[in-house]
Amino acid sequence: MAKPKGKVLIVSAVAASLLALTCISACAPSGTGKAAADNASTAAATNERATIEEWRQMYPDQYASYATTGWNVDKGVRAGHYYMFQNMQQWDHANLDCMSCKTTQWDELSQVYDGSTPLADLVPEINAFFDCYVCHTDPETLEINPGIRSFDTKRETYIPDAPVGTVLCGQCHTGYTPGFDIDTIYAERGAESAEKGPDEATGALKISAGHPDVEIFYDSTHANLGLACIDCHMPTIENANGQPMTNHNASGRLTDNLEALETCLDCHTAQGVEDAAQMRDFVRNAQAELYAEGEEARALINQLGDMLKEATAAGEESEALDQAREDYSRASYNLTYVEGKHKLGNKVAHDPEEQHGIVAQAAELAQHGIDLLS
């Protein structure tokens, strides 16, 4: 069991994940009865957090949409916010540091336990993983406020002017460093990797980008048009009674959500897209195009990697080899930056121009390294 550094009082009774409810007007309670409202009022008055059951009773449609998620066909597992805590418990390496961007309870636990404390040891203490308080202060007012404290510094320093609908998602969907552009993040993550030492087989540093979704989206055409993450990933839909509500299945693929793709028609009709079904085809074609470019770059990166392995095994050392290793590290990093822990191309809509440029640079760097060693 984990050995706490002191005693902590964790006041939440939330026992499972619940994606934060985002749109106040579309998230009004829908026929849930006085008891749930009274319970929420009592919780607010006593400064206690509402339980998962209280949130579910007050907002059944929003909860139901949140709990709707598909198979992650890329990895063959259930995935998404609803399954996040369950899936994390399958990771051998999961610890408190891994939770820093995934739960509102991290701030409390981090004051008691070391960041290296295994998640398995903390499970009995975790009762407020990815809950509504990630985005809302309480169930009555639904005031929107990012609840994951580890994101505060990055938000205040780098994106103070970002719309709240992007900041909410940026609490987790980020590159996990104070930097906010690909070069700065590469330098910061590279410094971390340098402390661990290079890969034995290639002699190059392995540098991962995490999933810098908000960094890619932040200065994109879509962002500059005034769109936020939730405009596409959490669109307003109608419930079974024809009442507007915010769809909380933010983990779902947009290409599986024609209602979300309706948002795109405000602009993309100028490109000959007439309806949501055509918009889905438009997006899938864009995804496939970026994926194909990425696979071409990956082939070059793999070729360079094989050459580095041969040179390293032979004990070779030269300035050309050092540069080739640097090219390999950055080219590999570029692909992880665009992939964002998903299939390359899936997130092309976040900023098509930037992502194509990043992939092209990866191919150029890999080819440069190959030329140096040829």
Side-chain angles (χ1 to χ4, degrees), residues 202-222:
T202 63
L205 294 178
K206 288 186 174 181
I207 305 173
S208 174
H211 44 42
D213 299 329
V214 70
E215 286 88 345
I216 291 176
F217 179 75
Y218 180 63
D219 195 32
S220 66
T221 298
H222 289 143

Side-chain angles (χ1 to χ4, degrees), residues 190-339:
E192 296 173 2
S193 296
E195 293 180 0
K196 300 176 182 178
D199 172 53
E200 291 184 5
T202 63
L205 294 178
K206 288 186 174 181
I207 305 173
S208 174
H211 44 42
D213 299 329
V214 70
E215 286 88 345
I216 291 176
F217 179 75
Y218 180 63
D219 195 32
S220 66
T221 298
H222 289 143
N224 291 331
L225 286 171
L227 290 173
C229 301
I230 64 172
D231 291 319
C232 295
H233 289 280
M234 301 180 68
T236 299
I237 60 175
E238 290 186 355
N239 64 11
N241 298 320
Q243 299 298 315
M245 59 164 280
T246 300
N247 185 351
H248 282 67
N249 183 19
S251 300
R253 298 176 187 272
L254 292 186
T255 49
D256 294 334
N257 189 338
L258 294 182
E259 290 171 308
L261 292 172
E262 292 283 350
T263 304
C264 310
L265 300 180
D266 291 342
C267 296
H268 285 278
T269 50
Q271 294 172 288
V273 178
E274 298 181 356
D275 56 34
Q278 290 186 11
M279 190 65 222
R280 177 181 56 199
D281 293 339
F282 181 90
V283 173
R284 286 177 174 171
N285 288 337
Q287 291 174 330
E289 181 182 351
L290 183 59
Y291 174 79
E293 291 182 11
E295 288 305 290
E296 291 178 3
R298 196 187 308 278
L300 292 172
I301 292 170
N302 289 340
Q303 180 181 345
L304 175 57
D306 290 340
M307 296 173 75
L308 289 174
K309 291 176 183 178
E310 291 181 7
T312 302
E316 298 178 14
E317 290 296 340
S318 67
E319 291 184 4
L321 182 57
D322 290 341
Q323 181 60 56
R325 285 170 172 154
E326 187 174 328
D327 290 341
Y328 177 78
S329 294
R330 179 56 190 262
S332 301
Y333 165 85
N334 275 25
L335 288 196
T336 69
Y337 193 91
V338 173
E339 286 171 332

Side-chain angles (χ1 to χ4, degrees), residues 346-364:
N346 277 11
K347 301 181 179 184
V348 64
H350 289 175
D351 192 337
E353 295 83 1
E354 180 180 13
Q355 291 179 78
H356 279 286
I358 291 171
V359 169
Q361 184 189 47
E364 292 172 2

Side-chain angles (χ1 to χ4, degrees), residues 90-106:
Q90 310 305 313
W91 303 351
D92 293 336
H93 67 279
N95 57 29
L96 180 58
D97 282 343
C98 297
M99 294 169 53
S100 65
C101 71
K102 296 177 177 65
T103 176
T104 56
Q105 199 172 349
W106 172 83

